[in-house]
Amino acid sequence: MVVGISILLDFSGVVDERFHCDQVWRDLIGRLIQMGGMKMLHLASHQFSSVKQKELADERNLQTGGTTAFALLSESHISVHTWPEFKKVVIDIFTCGPTIRLDDMIEYLREHIPHENLVVTRFERGE
Amino acid sequence: MVVGISILLDFSGVVDERFHCDQVWRDLIGRLIQMGGMKMLHLASHQFSSVKQKELADERNLQTGGTTAFALLSESHISVHTWPEFKKVVIDIFTCGPTIRLDDMIEYLREHIPHENLVVTRFERGE
């Protein structure tokens, strides 16, 4: 018996530094949740280095960390992890609500995040 | 280029109600993180109904909700969602640290949670 769906989105070639910034992701997760018809229970994020720190690091040719964000939902969760040094953004959407508009959420992310490649993997959970 | 590993654990036949209780999962996630050599950044959880409410619901033959818990880590995240009415516990471990003892964590969960069936799926992320 399926209790939920995991959507794993793996973006490559994400050079726009906004998508490695936690505040941008806090806003974007809020929009996704609204779009998906979900209810937020809790939102947390962590910036491994600020955009300003990244600029300084770039000047010195150093690697910097990305951002990580997580929303706990009535309908399960959304997580985001980014690696600016590898131009990667990895998003998980786990839903257990039958009416969630998952396709709209995936299309919104695909169109909204400039990237070179996107791999979407879908898993039925609990079987 | 692989930036992380997702381990998806789908437990079926979990009738022990402790594993549908958020406080139990908060403690268990703490032990997993210690075992894995990870660092916790943030921990959040939500009990969709208390064990006491579940007892009352069982007396009346009603379905009740489970629990959901999430840990944001320096090395990515752990999430847990449970459905006592379907005897299901679904856990995601996402790690980006090369030294994380994932096999130990999976074996600990397999031995610690009484269950009928467990499906473990492993995904390399960011390719």
Side-chain angles (χ1 to χ4, degrees), chain A residues 1 3 8-10 12 41-42 44 46 48 68 70 72 74 76-77 79 81 83 86 88 90-92 94 96 119 121 123 125-127, chain B residues 1 3 8-10 12 41-42 44 46 48 68 70 72 74 76-77 79 81 83 86 88 90-92 94 96 119 121 123 125-127:
Chain A
M1 132 134 236
V3 291
L8 313 182
L9 299 111
D10 292 28
S12 300
L41 295 172
H42 194 86
H46 183 81
F48 287 101
T68 183
F70 184 82
L72 204 60
S74 283
S76 298
H77 76 252
S79 69
H81 303 291
W83 291 263
F86 304 127
K88 302 276 188 185
V90 171
I91 304 167
D92 293 2
F94 187 141
C96 59
V119 178
T121 311
F123 256 98
R125 305 299 302 268
E127 282 206 293
Chain B
M1 134 131 231
V3 291
L8 313 182
L9 300 110
D10 292 28
S12 299
L41 296 173
H42 193 86
H46 183 81
F48 289 99
T68 184
F70 185 83
L72 204 61
S74 284
S76 297
H77 76 252
S79 69
H81 303 289
W83 290 264
F86 304 127
K88 303 275 188 185
V90 170
I91 304 167
D92 292 1
F94 187 141
C96 59
V119 178
T121 311
F123 256 97
R125 304 301 299 271
E127 282 205 296

Short mmCIF file of all heavy atoms in Angstrom, two decimals, chain A residues 1 3 8-10 12 41-42 44 46 48 68 70 72 74 76-77 79 81 83 86 88 90-92 94 96 119 121 123 125-127, chain B residues 1 3 8-10 12 41-42 44 46 48 68 70 72 74 76-77 79 81 83 86 88 90-92 94 96 119 121 123 125-127:
data_model
loop_
_atom_site.label_atom_id
_atom_site.label_comp_id
_atom_site.label_asym_id
_atom_site.label_seq_id
_atom_site.Cartn_x
_atom_site.Cartn_y
_atom_site.Cartn_z
N MET A 1 0.85 -1.21 0.00
CA MET A 1 0.00 0.00 0.00
C MET A 1 0.88 1.25 0.00
O MET A 1 1.78 1.39 0.81
CB MET A 1 -0.91 -0.09 1.22
CG MET A 1 -1.00 1.14 2.07
SD MET A 1 -2.73 1.48 2.45
CE MET A 1 -2.87 3.15 1.86
N VAL A 3 1.84 4.97 0.69
CA VAL A 3 1.44 6.01 1.64
C VAL A 3 1.91 7.39 1.21
O VAL A 3 1.50 8.40 1.78
CB VAL A 3 1.95 5.71 3.08
CG1 VAL A 3 1.22 4.52 3.66
CG2 VAL A 3 3.46 5.51 3.11
N LEU A 8 12.42 13.18 -6.47
CA LEU A 8 13.81 13.61 -6.29
C LEU A 8 14.20 14.40 -7.53
O LEU A 8 14.15 13.87 -8.65
CB LEU A 8 14.72 12.39 -6.11
CG LEU A 8 14.27 11.31 -5.12
CD1 LEU A 8 15.31 10.19 -5.04
CD2 LEU A 8 14.01 11.88 -3.74
N LEU A 9 14.56 15.68 -7.34
CA LEU A 9 14.95 16.54 -8.46
C LEU A 9 16.43 16.89 -8.33
O LEU A 9 16.84 17.47 -7.32
CB LEU A 9 14.13 17.83 -8.45
CG LEU A 9 12.61 17.65 -8.59
CD1 LEU A 9 11.92 17.99 -7.30
CD2 LEU A 9 12.07 18.52 -9.72
N ASP A 10 17.21 16.53 -9.34
CA ASP A 10 18.66 16.78 -9.30
C ASP A 10 19.02 17.74 -10.44
O ASP A 10 19.07 17.34 -11.61
CB ASP A 10 19.43 15.45 -9.44
CG ASP A 10 19.23 14.56 -8.22
OD1 ASP A 10 18.18 14.67 -7.57
OD2 ASP A 10 20.13 13.77 -7.92
N SER A 12 21.64 20.20 -12.40
CA SER A 12 23.07 20.45 -12.64
C SER A 12 23.22 21.74 -13.43
O SER A 12 22.29 22.15 -14.13
CB SER A 12 23.69 19.32 -13.46
OG SER A 12 23.57 18.11 -12.78
N LEU A 41 4.18 23.33 8.46
CA LEU A 41 4.22 23.19 9.91
C LEU A 41 5.46 23.86 10.48
O LEU A 41 5.43 24.41 11.58
CB LEU A 41 4.25 21.70 10.30
CG LEU A 41 3.01 20.87 9.93
CD1 LEU A 41 3.29 19.40 10.20
CD2 LEU A 41 1.80 21.36 10.72
N HIS A 42 6.57 23.80 9.72
CA HIS A 42 7.84 24.29 10.24
C HIS A 42 8.80 24.52 9.07
O HIS A 42 8.81 23.72 8.13
CB HIS A 42 8.43 23.23 11.18
CG HIS A 42 9.54 23.74 12.02
ND1 HIS A 42 9.36 24.38 13.22
CD2 HIS A 42 10.87 23.75 11.79
CE1 HIS A 42 10.54 24.73 13.71
NE2 HIS A 42 11.47 24.37 12.86
N ALA A 44 12.97 25.53 8.26
CA ALA A 44 14.32 25.77 8.80
C ALA A 44 15.30 25.84 7.64
O ALA A 44 15.08 25.21 6.59
CB ALA A 44 14.72 24.63 9.75
N HIS A 46 19.75 26.79 6.60
CA HIS A 46 21.11 27.12 7.05
C HIS A 46 21.94 27.50 5.84
O HIS A 46 21.91 26.81 4.82
CB HIS A 46 21.74 25.89 7.74
CG HIS A 46 23.10 26.17 8.29
ND1 HIS A 46 23.30 26.80 9.50
CD2 HIS A 46 24.32 25.93 7.79
CE1 HIS A 46 24.59 26.92 9.72
NE2 HIS A 46 25.24 26.40 8.70
N PHE A 48 25.56 27.80 4.51
CA PHE A 48 26.90 27.35 4.89
C PHE A 48 27.93 28.45 4.66
O PHE A 48 28.94 28.50 5.32
CB PHE A 48 27.27 26.06 4.15
CG PHE A 48 26.52 24.90 4.71
CD1 PHE A 48 25.41 24.39 4.05
CD2 PHE A 48 26.88 24.33 5.92
CE1 PHE A 48 24.69 23.34 4.59
CE2 PHE A 48 26.17 23.28 6.46
CZ PHE A 48 25.07 22.78 5.78
N THR A 68 21.03 24.93 2.70
CA THR A 68 20.17 23.78 2.95
C THR A 68 18.89 24.31 3.59
O THR A 68 18.94 25.24 4.41
CB THR A 68 20.91 22.74 3.82
OG1 THR A 68 20.11 21.60 4.00
CG2 THR A 68 21.31 23.28 5.16
N PHE A 70 14.60 23.23 4.73
CA PHE A 70 13.67 22.13 4.94
C PHE A 70 12.33 22.66 5.43
O PHE A 70 12.29 23.50 6.32
CB PHE A 70 14.22 21.17 5.98
CG PHE A 70 13.33 19.97 6.15
CD1 PHE A 70 13.41 18.92 5.26
CD2 PHE A 70 12.39 19.93 7.16
CE1 PHE A 70 12.57 17.82 5.38
CE2 PHE A 70 11.54 18.84 7.29
CZ PHE A 70 11.64 17.78 6.40
N LEU A 72 8.73 21.21 6.96
CA LEU A 72 7.90 20.12 7.46
C LEU A 72 6.45 20.50 7.16
O LEU A 72 6.03 21.61 7.50
CB LEU A 72 8.13 20.01 8.97
CG LEU A 72 7.88 18.70 9.69
CD1 LEU A 72 8.75 17.59 9.14
CD2 LEU A 72 8.19 18.88 11.19
N SER A 74 2.10 19.40 6.61
CA SER A 74 1.02 18.47 6.97
C SER A 74 1.03 17.30 6.00
O SER A 74 0.59 16.20 6.33
CB SER A 74 -0.34 19.16 6.86
OG SER A 74 -0.55 19.98 7.96
N SER A 76 3.79 15.96 4.54
CA SER A 76 5.16 15.41 4.53
C SER A 76 6.25 16.48 4.46
O SER A 76 6.33 17.29 5.39
CB SER A 76 5.34 14.29 3.52
OG SER A 76 4.47 13.23 3.88
N HIS A 77 7.10 16.58 3.42
CA HIS A 77 8.19 17.56 3.49
C HIS A 77 8.74 17.98 2.12
O HIS A 77 8.52 17.31 1.11
CB HIS A 77 9.34 17.04 4.37
CG HIS A 77 10.22 15.99 3.75
ND1 HIS A 77 10.20 14.66 4.12
CD2 HIS A 77 11.17 16.07 2.80
CE1 HIS A 77 11.09 13.99 3.43
NE2 HIS A 77 11.70 14.82 2.60
N SER A 79 12.74 19.29 0.91
CA SER A 79 14.11 19.62 1.33
C SER A 79 14.91 20.12 0.13
O SER A 79 14.63 19.74 -1.02
CB SER A 79 14.81 18.40 1.94
OG SER A 79 15.07 17.43 0.95
N HIS A 81 19.10 21.07 -0.93
CA HIS A 81 20.53 21.17 -0.62
C HIS A 81 21.23 21.69 -1.87
O HIS A 81 20.93 21.22 -2.99
CB HIS A 81 21.11 19.81 -0.23
CG HIS A 81 20.41 19.18 0.94
ND1 HIS A 81 20.49 19.67 2.22
CD2 HIS A 81 19.59 18.12 1.01
CE1 HIS A 81 19.76 18.93 3.02
NE2 HIS A 81 19.19 17.97 2.32
N TRP A 83 25.06 23.03 -3.79
CA TRP A 83 26.53 23.04 -3.81
C TRP A 83 26.97 24.00 -4.92
O TRP A 83 27.11 23.58 -6.09
CB TRP A 83 27.07 21.64 -4.12
CG TRP A 83 26.86 20.64 -3.04
CD1 TRP A 83 27.76 20.26 -2.08
CD2 TRP A 83 25.69 19.83 -2.79
NE1 TRP A 83 27.22 19.30 -1.26
CE2 TRP A 83 25.95 19.02 -1.67
CE3 TRP A 83 24.43 19.74 -3.41
CZ2 TRP A 83 25.02 18.13 -1.15
CZ3 TRP A 83 23.49 18.86 -2.89
CH2 TRP A 83 23.79 18.07 -1.78
N PHE A 86 29.85 23.04 -7.17
CA PHE A 86 29.59 22.02 -8.20
C PHE A 86 28.38 22.39 -9.08
O PHE A 86 27.96 21.59 -9.91
CB PHE A 86 29.36 20.65 -7.56
CG PHE A 86 30.47 20.21 -6.66
CD1 PHE A 86 30.22 19.81 -5.35
CD2 PHE A 86 31.78 20.18 -7.12
CE1 PHE A 86 31.25 19.41 -4.51
CE2 PHE A 86 32.82 19.78 -6.29
CZ PHE A 86 32.56 19.40 -4.98
N LYS A 88 25.28 22.50 -8.33
CA LYS A 88 24.22 21.49 -8.14
C LYS A 88 23.17 21.99 -7.14
O LYS A 88 23.52 22.61 -6.12
CB LYS A 88 24.81 20.20 -7.54
CG LYS A 88 25.92 19.57 -8.38
CD LYS A 88 25.37 18.70 -9.47
CE LYS A 88 26.52 17.95 -10.14
NZ LYS A 88 26.07 17.18 -11.29
N VAL A 90 19.75 20.09 -5.32
CA VAL A 90 19.06 18.81 -5.16
C VAL A 90 17.83 19.04 -4.26
O VAL A 90 17.97 19.53 -3.14
CB VAL A 90 20.02 17.76 -4.56
CG1 VAL A 90 19.27 16.50 -4.20
CG2 VAL A 90 21.13 17.44 -5.56
N ILE A 91 16.66 18.70 -4.79
CA ILE A 91 15.40 18.97 -4.09
C ILE A 91 14.63 17.66 -3.93
O ILE A 91 14.54 16.88 -4.88
CB ILE A 91 14.53 19.97 -4.88
CG1 ILE A 91 15.32 21.26 -5.14
CG2 ILE A 91 13.22 20.27 -4.17
CD1 ILE A 91 14.68 22.17 -6.18
N ASP A 92 14.09 17.44 -2.74
CA ASP A 92 13.18 16.30 -2.52
C ASP A 92 11.80 16.86 -2.17
O ASP A 92 11.70 17.77 -1.32
CB ASP A 92 13.63 15.43 -1.33
CG ASP A 92 14.93 14.69 -1.59
OD1 ASP A 92 15.53 14.86 -2.67
OD2 ASP A 92 15.35 13.95 -0.67
N PHE A 94 8.33 15.24 -0.79
CA PHE A 94 7.68 14.01 -0.30
C PHE A 94 6.25 14.41 0.05
O PHE A 94 6.03 15.27 0.90
CB PHE A 94 8.43 13.53 0.94
CG PHE A 94 7.97 12.19 1.47
CD1 PHE A 94 8.89 11.28 1.95
CD2 PHE A 94 6.63 11.84 1.53
CE1 PHE A 94 8.49 10.05 2.45
CE2 PHE A 94 6.22 10.60 2.02
CZ PHE A 94 7.16 9.72 2.49
N CYS A 96 2.10 13.13 0.87
CA CYS A 96 1.18 12.03 1.15
C CYS A 96 -0.26 12.49 0.96
O CYS A 96 -1.18 11.78 1.34
CB CYS A 96 1.40 11.47 2.56
SG CYS A 96 1.19 12.68 3.85
N VAL A 119 17.33 15.91 -13.63
CA VAL A 119 16.87 14.52 -13.56
C VAL A 119 15.77 14.47 -12.50
O VAL A 119 15.98 14.89 -11.36
CB VAL A 119 18.02 13.56 -13.18
CG1 VAL A 119 17.50 12.13 -13.07
CG2 VAL A 119 19.14 13.64 -14.20
N THR A 121 13.23 11.92 -10.51
CA THR A 121 12.97 10.51 -10.17
C THR A 121 11.76 10.46 -9.24
O THR A 121 11.66 11.26 -8.30
CB THR A 121 14.19 9.88 -9.48
OG1 THR A 121 15.35 10.17 -10.24
CG2 THR A 121 14.02 8.37 -9.34
N PHE A 123 9.24 8.07 -6.82
CA PHE A 123 9.15 6.83 -6.05
C PHE A 123 7.85 6.73 -5.29
O PHE A 123 7.51 7.67 -4.56
CB PHE A 123 10.24 6.84 -4.96
CG PHE A 123 11.36 5.98 -5.30
CD1 PHE A 123 12.49 6.55 -5.87
CD2 PHE A 123 11.32 4.63 -5.09
CE1 PHE A 123 13.54 5.77 -6.20
CE2 PHE A 123 12.38 3.85 -5.42
CZ PHE A 123 13.50 4.41 -5.99
N ARG A 125 6.10 5.37 -2.11
CA ARG A 125 6.64 4.99 -0.82
C ARG A 125 5.69 4.10 -0.01
O ARG A 125 4.49 4.25 -0.08
CB ARG A 125 6.95 6.25 0.03
CG ARG A 125 7.87 7.23 -0.65
CD ARG A 125 9.24 6.65 -0.97
NE ARG A 125 9.94 6.16 0.19
CZ ARG A 125 10.79 6.91 0.90
NH1 ARG A 125 11.02 8.15 0.55
NH2 ARG A 125 11.43 6.39 1.94
N GLY A 126 6.31 3.19 0.73
CA GLY A 126 5.55 2.38 1.68
C GLY A 126 5.12 1.02 1.15
O GLY A 126 4.43 0.28 1.84
N GLU A 127 5.53 0.72 -0.08
CA GLU A 127 5.11 -0.58 -0.64
C GLU A 127 5.96 -1.71 -0.10
O GLU A 127 7.11 -1.52 0.23
CB GLU A 127 5.19 -0.54 -2.16
CG GLU A 127 4.01 0.21 -2.75
CD GLU A 127 3.70 -0.24 -4.17
OE1 GLU A 127 4.53 -0.01 -5.05
OE2 GLU A 127 2.63 -0.83 -4.40
N MET B 1 28.72 14.15 -11.57
CA MET B 1 29.42 14.16 -10.28
C MET B 1 28.43 13.97 -9.12
O MET B 1 27.45 14.68 -9.03
CB MET B 1 30.17 15.49 -10.19
CG MET B 1 30.06 16.24 -8.90
SD MET B 1 31.71 16.72 -8.36
CE MET B 1 31.68 16.12 -6.69
N VAL B 3 27.02 14.31 -5.51
CA VAL B 3 27.21 15.22 -4.37
C VAL B 3 26.64 14.66 -3.08
O VAL B 3 26.89 15.20 -2.00
CB VAL B 3 26.60 16.61 -4.65
CG1 VAL B 3 27.38 17.35 -5.72
CG2 VAL B 3 25.12 16.51 -5.02
N LEU B 8 16.52 5.56 1.11
CA LEU B 8 15.08 5.57 1.39
C LEU B 8 14.73 4.24 2.07
O LEU B 8 14.95 3.18 1.49
CB LEU B 8 14.27 5.73 0.10
CG LEU B 8 14.72 6.83 -0.88
CD1 LEU B 8 13.78 6.90 -2.09
CD2 LEU B 8 14.80 8.18 -0.21
N LEU B 9 14.22 4.31 3.29
CA LEU B 9 13.87 3.10 4.05
C LEU B 9 12.36 3.06 4.24
O LEU B 9 11.79 3.98 4.84
CB LEU B 9 14.56 3.10 5.41
CG LEU B 9 16.09 3.12 5.38
CD1 LEU B 9 16.60 4.47 5.88
CD2 LEU B 9 16.66 2.01 6.24
N ASP B 10 11.74 2.00 3.74
CA ASP B 10 10.28 1.87 3.83
C ASP B 10 9.95 0.63 4.67
O ASP B 10 10.07 -0.51 4.19
CB ASP B 10 9.67 1.74 2.42
CG ASP B 10 9.82 3.04 1.63
OD1 ASP B 10 10.77 3.80 1.88
OD2 ASP B 10 8.98 3.30 0.76
N SER B 12 7.32 -1.73 6.72
CA SER B 12 5.91 -2.14 6.80
C SER B 12 5.70 -3.03 8.03
O SER B 12 6.65 -3.67 8.49
CB SER B 12 5.50 -2.94 5.56
OG SER B 12 5.66 -2.18 4.41
N LEU B 41 22.02 20.52 12.94
CA LEU B 41 21.83 21.97 12.87
C LEU B 41 20.47 22.36 13.43
O LEU B 41 20.32 23.41 14.05
CB LEU B 41 21.91 22.46 11.42
CG LEU B 41 23.24 22.27 10.70
CD1 LEU B 41 23.10 22.63 9.22
CD2 LEU B 41 24.32 23.13 11.35
N HIS B 42 19.46 21.49 13.21
CA HIS B 42 18.10 21.85 13.58
C HIS B 42 17.26 20.57 13.64
O HIS B 42 17.43 19.70 12.79
CB HIS B 42 17.53 22.80 12.52
CG HIS B 42 16.28 23.48 12.95
ND1 HIS B 42 16.27 24.65 13.67
CD2 HIS B 42 14.99 23.14 12.77
CE1 HIS B 42 15.01 25.00 13.92
NE2 HIS B 42 14.23 24.10 13.37
N ALA B 44 13.10 19.28 14.14
CA ALA B 44 11.69 19.66 14.26
C ALA B 44 10.85 18.41 14.15
O ALA B 44 11.23 17.44 13.49
CB ALA B 44 11.30 20.64 13.14
N HIS B 46 6.45 16.85 14.56
CA HIS B 46 5.03 17.13 14.76
C HIS B 46 4.30 15.81 14.98
O HIS B 46 4.51 14.85 14.24
CB HIS B 46 4.45 17.84 13.52
CG HIS B 46 3.02 18.23 13.68
ND1 HIS B 46 2.64 19.36 14.36
CD2 HIS B 46 1.89 17.64 13.26
CE1 HIS B 46 1.32 19.44 14.34
NE2 HIS B 46 0.84 18.41 13.69
N PHE B 48 0.84 14.11 14.79
CA PHE B 48 -0.50 14.37 14.24
C PHE B 48 -1.60 13.96 15.21
O PHE B 48 -2.67 14.50 15.19
CB PHE B 48 -0.66 13.71 12.87
CG PHE B 48 0.16 14.41 11.83
CD1 PHE B 48 1.38 13.91 11.45
CD2 PHE B 48 -0.29 15.60 11.28
CE1 PHE B 48 2.16 14.58 10.51
CE2 PHE B 48 0.47 16.27 10.34
CZ PHE B 48 1.70 15.76 9.95
N THR B 68 5.81 13.00 12.35
CA THR B 68 6.74 13.40 11.32
C THR B 68 7.88 14.12 12.03
O THR B 68 7.64 14.87 12.99
CB THR B 68 6.01 14.26 10.25
OG1 THR B 68 6.90 14.58 9.21
CG2 THR B 68 5.42 15.51 10.82
N PHE B 70 12.10 15.76 11.48
CA PHE B 70 13.12 16.14 10.51
C PHE B 70 14.33 16.73 11.21
O PHE B 70 14.20 17.56 12.08
CB PHE B 70 12.55 17.19 9.55
CG PHE B 70 13.52 17.52 8.47
CD1 PHE B 70 13.61 16.71 7.35
CD2 PHE B 70 14.37 18.61 8.57
CE1 PHE B 70 14.53 16.99 6.35
CE2 PHE B 70 15.28 18.89 7.58
CZ PHE B 70 15.37 18.08 6.46
N LEU B 72 17.89 18.71 10.25
CA LEU B 72 18.76 19.37 9.27
C LEU B 72 20.18 19.18 9.80
O LEU B 72 20.46 19.50 10.97
CB LEU B 72 18.39 20.85 9.23
CG LEU B 72 18.69 21.67 7.99
CD1 LEU B 72 17.96 21.12 6.77
CD2 LEU B 72 18.23 23.12 8.21
N SER B 74 24.66 19.18 9.14
CA SER B 74 25.78 19.70 8.35
C SER B 74 26.00 18.82 7.14
O SER B 74 26.52 19.27 6.12
CB SER B 74 27.07 19.69 9.18
OG SER B 74 27.06 20.75 10.08
N SER B 76 23.55 17.18 5.43
CA SER B 76 22.25 17.07 4.73
C SER B 76 21.07 16.82 5.67
O SER B 76 20.81 17.69 6.49
CB SER B 76 22.32 16.12 3.54
OG SER B 76 23.25 16.63 2.60
N HIS B 77 20.36 15.68 5.61
CA HIS B 77 19.17 15.58 6.46
C HIS B 77 18.72 14.14 6.74
O HIS B 77 19.12 13.21 6.05
CB HIS B 77 17.98 16.38 5.87
CG HIS B 77 17.28 15.75 4.70
ND1 HIS B 77 17.39 16.21 3.42
CD2 HIS B 77 16.44 14.68 4.63
CE1 HIS B 77 16.65 15.48 2.61
NE2 HIS B 77 16.05 14.53 3.32
N SER B 79 14.76 12.43 7.55
CA SER B 79 13.33 12.69 7.75
C SER B 79 12.62 11.39 8.10
O SER B 79 13.05 10.30 7.68
CB SER B 79 12.69 13.31 6.49
OG SER B 79 12.65 12.36 5.45
N HIS B 81 8.49 9.84 8.53
CA HIS B 81 7.04 10.00 8.49
C HIS B 81 6.43 8.64 8.85
O HIS B 81 6.89 7.61 8.36
CB HIS B 81 6.56 10.42 7.10
CG HIS B 81 7.19 11.69 6.62
ND1 HIS B 81 6.90 12.92 7.15
CD2 HIS B 81 8.12 11.92 5.65
CE1 HIS B 81 7.61 13.85 6.53
NE2 HIS B 81 8.37 13.27 5.62
N TRP B 83 2.71 6.27 9.64
CA TRP B 83 1.26 6.10 9.49
C TRP B 83 0.85 4.88 10.33
O TRP B 83 0.89 3.74 9.84
CB TRP B 83 0.91 5.84 8.02
CG TRP B 83 1.09 7.00 7.12
CD1 TRP B 83 0.15 7.89 6.71
CD2 TRP B 83 2.31 7.42 6.47
NE1 TRP B 83 0.69 8.83 5.88
CE2 TRP B 83 2.02 8.57 5.71
CE3 TRP B 83 3.63 6.94 6.48
CZ2 TRP B 83 2.98 9.24 4.98
CZ3 TRP B 83 4.59 7.62 5.75
CH2 TRP B 83 4.25 8.75 5.00
N PHE B 86 -1.65 2.40 8.95
CA PHE B 86 -1.19 1.49 7.90
C PHE B 86 0.06 0.72 8.35
O PHE B 86 0.65 -0.01 7.55
CB PHE B 86 -0.89 2.26 6.61
CG PHE B 86 -2.05 3.07 6.09
CD1 PHE B 86 -1.90 4.42 5.81
CD2 PHE B 86 -3.29 2.47 5.88
CE1 PHE B 86 -2.98 5.16 5.34
CE2 PHE B 86 -4.36 3.22 5.41
CZ PHE B 86 -4.21 4.57 5.14
N LYS B 88 3.04 1.77 8.84
CA LYS B 88 4.16 2.15 7.97
C LYS B 88 5.05 3.20 8.65
O LYS B 88 4.53 4.14 9.27
CB LYS B 88 3.65 2.76 6.66
CG LYS B 88 2.72 1.87 5.87
CD LYS B 88 3.46 0.90 4.99
CE LYS B 88 2.48 0.17 4.07
NZ LYS B 88 3.12 -0.86 3.28
N VAL B 90 8.42 5.49 7.22
CA VAL B 90 9.22 5.80 6.04
C VAL B 90 10.32 6.80 6.44
O VAL B 90 10.01 7.85 6.99
CB VAL B 90 8.32 6.37 4.92
CG1 VAL B 90 9.15 6.91 3.78
CG2 VAL B 90 7.37 5.29 4.42
N ILE B 91 11.56 6.42 6.21
CA ILE B 91 12.70 7.23 6.65
C ILE B 91 13.58 7.55 5.44
O ILE B 91 13.85 6.68 4.62
CB ILE B 91 13.54 6.45 7.69
CG1 ILE B 91 12.66 6.02 8.87
CG2 ILE B 91 14.73 7.29 8.19
CD1 ILE B 91 13.31 4.99 9.78
N ASP B 92 14.00 8.82 5.34
CA ASP B 92 15.00 9.20 4.33
C ASP B 92 16.27 9.65 5.06
O ASP B 92 16.19 10.42 6.02
CB ASP B 92 14.53 10.40 3.49
CG ASP B 92 13.34 10.06 2.59
OD1 ASP B 92 12.86 8.92 2.63
OD2 ASP B 92 12.90 10.97 1.86
N PHE B 94 19.71 11.48 3.90
CA PHE B 94 20.43 12.12 2.79
C PHE B 94 21.77 12.59 3.36
O PHE B 94 21.80 13.39 4.28
CB PHE B 94 19.61 13.31 2.29
CG PHE B 94 20.14 13.97 1.03
CD1 PHE B 94 19.28 14.40 0.06
CD2 PHE B 94 21.49 14.19 0.83
CE1 PHE B 94 19.74 15.03 -1.10
CE2 PHE B 94 21.96 14.81 -0.31
CZ PHE B 94 21.09 15.23 -1.28
N CYS B 96 25.91 13.89 2.56
CA CYS B 96 26.90 14.35 1.60
C CYS B 96 28.29 14.28 2.20
O CYS B 96 29.24 14.81 1.63
CB CYS B 96 26.59 15.76 1.11
SG CYS B 96 26.53 16.98 2.40
N VAL B 119 12.14 -2.25 2.86
CA VAL B 119 12.74 -2.03 1.54
C VAL B 119 13.72 -0.87 1.66
O VAL B 119 13.34 0.21 2.14
CB VAL B 119 11.66 -1.70 0.48
CG1 VAL B 119 12.31 -1.42 -0.88
CG2 VAL B 119 10.65 -2.83 0.38
N THR B 121 16.27 1.55 -0.47
CA THR B 121 16.64 2.01 -1.81
C THR B 121 17.74 3.06 -1.68
O THR B 121 17.65 3.94 -0.83
CB THR B 121 15.43 2.63 -2.54
OG1 THR B 121 14.32 1.74 -2.43
CG2 THR B 121 15.74 2.88 -4.01
N PHE B 123 20.22 5.91 -3.66
CA PHE B 123 20.35 6.76 -4.84
C PHE B 123 21.55 7.66 -4.74
O PHE B 123 21.70 8.36 -3.74
CB PHE B 123 19.13 7.71 -4.90
CG PHE B 123 18.15 7.29 -5.90
CD1 PHE B 123 17.06 6.56 -5.52
CD2 PHE B 123 18.32 7.60 -7.23
CE1 PHE B 123 16.14 6.16 -6.43
CE2 PHE B 123 17.41 7.20 -8.16
CZ PHE B 123 16.32 6.47 -7.76
N ARG B 125 23.08 11.09 -5.75
CA ARG B 125 22.43 12.36 -6.11
C ARG B 125 23.37 13.31 -6.84
O ARG B 125 24.56 13.35 -6.53
CB ARG B 125 21.91 13.06 -4.84
CG ARG B 125 20.98 12.23 -4.00
CD ARG B 125 19.73 11.79 -4.76
NE ARG B 125 18.93 12.90 -5.23
CZ ARG B 125 17.96 13.49 -4.53
NH1 ARG B 125 17.66 13.02 -3.33
NH2 ARG B 125 17.27 14.49 -5.03
N GLY B 126 22.78 14.05 -7.75
CA GLY B 126 23.51 15.13 -8.41
C GLY B 126 24.14 14.72 -9.73
O GLY B 126 24.82 15.53 -10.36
N GLU B 127 23.89 13.49 -10.16
CA GLU B 127 24.50 13.06 -11.43
C GLU B 127 23.71 13.60 -12.62
O GLU B 127 22.52 13.85 -12.53
CB GLU B 127 24.56 11.55 -11.50
CG GLU B 127 25.70 11.01 -10.67
CD GLU B 127 26.18 9.66 -11.17
OE1 GLU B 127 25.39 8.73 -11.11
OE2 GLU B 127 27.36 9.56 -11.58
#
